[in-house]
Amino acid sequence: MPFPVRLNGVAALLLLALAGHAPACAQKTPKRPPDVRFEPSPMPAVTAMLELAGVTKGDLVYDLGCGDGRIAITAAREFGARAVGVDIDPGLIEQSTRNAKEAGVSRMVRFREEDLFETDFRDASVVAMALWPSVNLRLRPRLLKELKPGTRIVSLYHDMGDWAPEETRTVDGVMIYLWRVPSPQPARR
């Protein structure tokens, strides 16, 4: 038979306070480990990346592995584009959503908690990435197969193996690569 526990006033208030904060302190975990550790991209490189891609207000920018949302938010705030950020980490999606609200671009930017290898990005006119070389190479076949010809792809830091970029730029020591999805080649007879 359980016995009653008596708490003094201070202990009772402390337990109530801790209980009230438990959900806020609880760490949400991704469905699987992220492919890339989040490291904020330098803002001058983010801006240069979007400039290199020629982002305009008519574009829909997908930021794969969006982290804190800075690429998608900058695309909306500085270039007038709509943007979608995708990340597997629910905590980063929450942070991105807050950051977009604080930047005043919530109506132009959405963030989705999804695996970047499973997300549907076919409607993108620009795909932005700040991933690792192995992740770029793993995404490359999907990018080439699913994106429309002419879609621009920009990557901070890393290339895509033997797919030569259309243009490169270095900003504050950070390499930026640009590709355009080519038109399908007619079959040879």
Side-chain angles (χ1 to χ4, degrees), residues 2-4 11-12 14 22 37 60-61 65 67 69 71 73 75 80 96 102 110 120 124 131-132 150 167 169 181:
F3 57 91
L14 182 59
R37 182 183 72 242
L60 176 57
V61 177
I71 294 172
I73 291 167
S96 296
E102 289 171 11
R110 291 186 329 249
D120 182 355
L131 305 169
W132 288 344
E167 193 173 340
R169 189 176 293 173
V181 175

Side-chain angles (χ1 to χ4, degrees), residues 72-89:
I73 291 167
T74 303
R77 187 180 57 223
E78 304 297 325
F79 298 86
R82 294 175 301 123
V84 176
V86 176
D87 205 294
I88 199 165
D89 187 325

Side-chain angles (χ1 to χ4, degrees), residues 29-45:
T29 57
K31 294 177 180 90
R32 67 171 182 80
D35 296 286
V36 176
R37 182 183 72 242
F38 171 62
E39 295 178 29
S41 300
M43 284 308 298

